[in-house]
Amino acid sequence: MKSKIIVSTITLVMFGVAGVALLFNNSSKDRFETSQNNDASISSMIETYTKGKNDVKLTIGVLKSDKTNYKVFGADSKELEPVEYEYEIGSISKTFTAAMLCKAIADGQINLDDSISKYLPLDTDTFCPTIKSLATHTSGYGEYPFDSSTLSKEELEMIDSKFYEKRLNIYQGISREEMLDMIKSHVLKDKAYGWEYSNFGIAVLGTVLSEIYDTSFKLLAEDFIKNDLGLTETRLGNGTGNLSNYWTWNDDDTYFAAGGMVSTVTDLLKYGRIHLNDSPGYLALSHRTYQAFENDGFSMGLGWIIDPETGYLWHNGGTSSYKSFLGIDKEHKTAVVILSNYPSKDDEKDEDALDILGYALLDSLSNSDSDVFNVLE
């Protein structure tokens, strides 16, 4: 089924780890359309995105009926050798954190309706968000601590410069102790909150999981990725890889949970297959709808954005130097991975290009005439 939902993304410095805020609104309907009403072919989208980008490495991978294929494109859509490049995947990392949450639920270690104060050394008389609200971006934390309500214009400009111009990791160095201090200093009102994208909220969730299993998030995630998911090329970032401008991290950083992972196209296609097959079985918990935003045209699973019309599960991501998209269509057993080493700030007209391309590929793969070999022609 062709998509009617409109996908729009806006890149903001306070969403640095995520790379994007995901907004679905009437104004974006006038500007961005998915493939149903877009005459552009897949090849022309790739050509437009890569035009004039001399150092671009755009990797696109597709999966259908357990068959996979991927291609790497350089400047002006020139097909390159199929090197397995290592990309920062930004907020796609959040789906891994959500998967770890699902395991903790299956292990009987945590309940979605519990307050975080049950697991963290916080004042139990002070209102704190629930685990579910963290995983669905309805906690009330929003952009904190990198928002205009807590920072001056000059501070925001300095952060913007560090993030986009110097390509530094503004989230490096926030340890468990500092995270706990930040939670204590940011007291929320006792009320229900609407959807507001929150890197901080997912970092808090990662801190909760670390507390439950009595280890750092880095060690917990590395063990989960290797032993539970069986992925060999997905890891926590450490400033190295076969591309350039990677973020550096400290081993005890809490924001790993929000956007600190590095992966390859083949491993993310494997990850897509894992979710398509619900294996491990507890991953299906993340695919359920926990919050529906009918007026805005999307719903939230645990960590995943859900298109209620097509059933697509998806997330995108971005860091100072990388952008990414992962989409899954469980009905048609397809998945799409798009990875780029060009951030939006380098060319702001490309803000939504990878999301629109990802949706177009998911739509094309749902066609019985399409397969993983002809869809990228």
Side-chain angles (χ1 to χ4, degrees):
M1 180 172 64
K2 294 291 185 180
S3 305
K4 294 182 180 178
I5 192 169
I6 308 304
V7 181
S8 175
T9 61
I10 298 177
T11 305
L12 300 173
V13 65
M14 58 283 291
F15 294 147
V17 164
V20 291
L22 312 171
L23 303 179
F24 305 81
N25 52 47
N26 291 329
S27 62
S28 61
K29 291 181 181 181
D30 297 330
R31 299 168 53 221
F32 304 111
E33 298 181 348
T34 57
S35 57
Q36 178 171 15
N37 300 314
N38 196 325
D39 294 331
S41 66
I42 301 297
S43 59
S44 66
M45 290 181 186
I46 295 171
E47 182 178 358
T48 298
Y49 180 79
T50 58
K51 186 176 181 180
K53 294 183 172 70
N54 293 331
D55 298 320
V56 72
K57 299 293 187 296
L58 175 67
T59 299
I60 303 176
V62 291
L63 179 155
K64 183 175 183 178
S65 300
D66 220 33
K67 295 179 180 179
T68 63
N69 185 31
Y70 78 91
K71 291 185 177 183
V72 182
F73 298 92
D76 304 316
S77 67
K78 178 182 178 181
E79 189 172 342
L80 306 178
E81 290 296 315
V83 175
E84 289 255 6
Y85 289 108
E86 298 170 290
Y87 296 84
E88 292 179 340
I89 62 173
S91 276
I92 293 175
S93 306
K94 291 179 171 66
T95 69
F96 284 83
T97 301
M100 294 163 65
L101 168 62
C102 292
K103 180 187 177 183
I105 295 170
D107 287 347
Q109 297 292 318
I110 197 168
N111 188 300
L112 286 175
D113 294 323
D114 288 339
S115 166
I116 63 172
S117 61
K118 181 176 178 178
Y119 305 98
L120 299 176
L122 302 171
D123 183 356
T124 55
D125 293 329
T126 300
F127 174 78
C128 291
T130 65
I131 301 301
K132 181 170 72 174
S133 72
L134 295 177
T136 58
H137 298 289
T138 55
S139 65
Y141 281 135
E143 303 163 12
Y144 176 81
F146 299 102
D147 63 358
S148 57
S149 67
T150 58
L151 298 174
S152 67
K153 179 181 178 181
E154 291 74 20
E155 288 172 321
L156 288 172
E157 288 175 349
M158 181 180 67
I159 290 171
D160 185 88
S161 174
K162 287 182 178 180
F163 185 86
Y164 288 115
E165 296 173 17
K166 299 178 182 178
R167 302 196 178 186
L168 299 175
N169 181 4
I170 62 174
Y171 296 100
Q172 183 180 12
I174 301 177
S175 65
R176 172 189 177 276
E177 290 71 24
E178 289 169 295
M179 173 61 69
L180 290 172
D181 287 342
M182 292 164 73
I183 295 171
K184 293 172 184 176
S185 66
H186 190 62
V187 179
L188 297 170
K189 295 181 179 179
D190 186 355
K191 67 174 187 176
Y193 290 89
W195 186 88
E196 186 178 3
Y197 198 81
S198 181
N199 288 309
F200 183 76
I202 300 298
V204 173
L205 177 58
T207 304
V208 169
L209 293 172
S210 299
E211 203 78 6
I212 288 172
Y213 290 101
D214 193 26
T215 187
S216 70
F217 183 85
K218 182 177 186 291
L219 292 177
L220 183 66
E222 287 176 340
D223 179 75
F224 177 76
I225 290 166
K226 178 181 178 181
N227 296 316
D228 291 82
L229 300 183
L231 301 178
T232 58
E233 302 300 326
T234 301
R235 57 182 172 81
L236 280 295
N238 60 9
T240 66
N242 58 3
L243 287 168
S244 61
N245 296 315
Y246 293 97
W247 276 355
T248 57
W249 294 86
N250 298 342
D251 285 347
D252 61 350
D253 278 335
T254 54
Y255 269 86
F256 272 130
M261 297 184 186
V262 173
S263 191
T264 66
V265 63
T266 296
D267 241 28
L268 285 181
L269 287 173
K270 290 178 182 177
Y271 182 59
R273 182 187 291 117
I274 287 168
H275 278 278
L276 287 172
N277 295 334
D278 293 334
S279 180
Y282 54 71
L283 292 178
L285 294 172
S286 68
H287 307 158
R288 299 175 184 175
T289 295
Y290 293 88
Q291 297 282 353
F293 306 97
E294 296 179 3
N295 292 336
D296 297 312
F298 74 102
S299 301
M300 284 300 304
L302 299 178
W304 290 97
I305 295 95
I306 302 173
D307 181 334
E309 183 170 335
T310 62
Y312 296 165
L313 305 169
W314 70 283
H315 216 296
N316 54 13
T319 63
S320 298
S321 299
Y322 294 87
K323 288 202 71 177
S324 54
F325 173 91
L326 172 61
I328 296 170
D329 179 359
K330 296 190 76 173
E331 178 183 355
H332 298 99
K333 295 292 183 182
T334 65
V336 171
V337 174
I338 306 177
L339 302 165
S340 173
N341 62 335
Y342 259 70
S344 293
K345 193 72 171 185
D346 281 357
D347 194 344
E348 292 187 1
K349 72 177 185 294
D350 290 336
E351 261 178 19
D352 308 273
L354 299 191
D355 302 333
I356 294 171
L357 175 57
Y359 252 68
L361 282 164
L362 285 170
D363 286 345
S364 295
L365 287 168
S366 69
N367 188 316
S368 60
D369 296 330
S370 295
D371 61 37
V372 296
F373 301 105
N374 65 28
V375 75
L376 293 177
E377 297 298 330

